[in-house]
Amino acid sequence: QVQLVESGGGSVQAGGSLRLSCAASGRTFSSYAMSWFRQAPGKEREFVATISSSSMLIYYTDSVKGRFTISRDNAKNTVFLQMNSLKPEDTADYYCAARSTYGSMIWNEYKYWGQGTQVTVSS
């Protein structure tokens, strides 16, 4: 069992930055692949980025490549999403999710979820 709690959301102007954190409790965080998803109002939940348990494998959706960076600190049971050059279309609720194996960008293949943190980017 893994419990996930996101933080770091807020309101910024376009071009600004935010750093999201996802703190995990429960055993064996370091064995899980971690991902970030987002869901804008009226839209489906979409994949943002994923990182393998060892941080060796990372993948981003095209719309955030070069602007967002996912990372993790297994000693602190935390995964991060550094978001730079934010755009209004990045506005959404952001969720972290855990899965036993790396490689999925499909939200319903993830068993563990946080409650979400809201990001609002104004133009």
Side-chain angles (χ1 to χ4, degrees):
Q1 190 81 2
V2 177
Q3 293 82 43
L4 304 173
V5 179
E6 301 96 336
S7 61
S11 297
V12 295
Q13 290 189 328
S17 298
L18 284 173
R19 189 192 197 204
L20 306 183
S21 299
C22 173
S25 60
R27 58 179 185 170
T28 64
F29 166 79
S30 60
S31 69
Y32 286 92
M34 298 297 298
S35 296
W36 288 94
F37 289 79
R38 65 187 179 186
Q39 188 166 17
K43 295 188 176 181
E44 293 188 356
R45 191 166 298 191
E46 66 169 351
F47 167 80
V48 176
T50 188
I51 186 168
S52 63
S53 58
S54 65
S55 301
M56 291 293 289
L57 300 172
I58 289 174
Y59 186 78
Y60 301 95
T61 192
D62 285 346
S63 62
V64 308
K65 285 180 181 176
R67 301 188 298 122
F68 290 12
T69 302
I70 189 172
S71 62
R72 66 190 295 164
D73 184 339
N74 286 343
K76 296 182 178 180
N77 283 10
T78 304
V79 63
F80 305 97
L81 186 68
Q82 177 67 44
M83 306 187 296
N84 299 327
S85 302
L86 282 161
K87 303 175 180 180
E89 50 264 44
D90 295 317
T91 295
D93 291 328
Y94 283 72
Y95 300 87
C96 66
R99 189 170 183 264
S100 58
T101 55
Y102 173 83
S104 174
M105 297 181 288
I106 302 172
W107 70 268
N108 60 8
E109 292 185 353
Y110 284 76
K111 184 175 182 180
Y112 303 109
W113 289 87
Q115 83 290 348
T117 186
Q118 188 173 55
V119 172
T120 302
V121 184
S122 58
S123 58

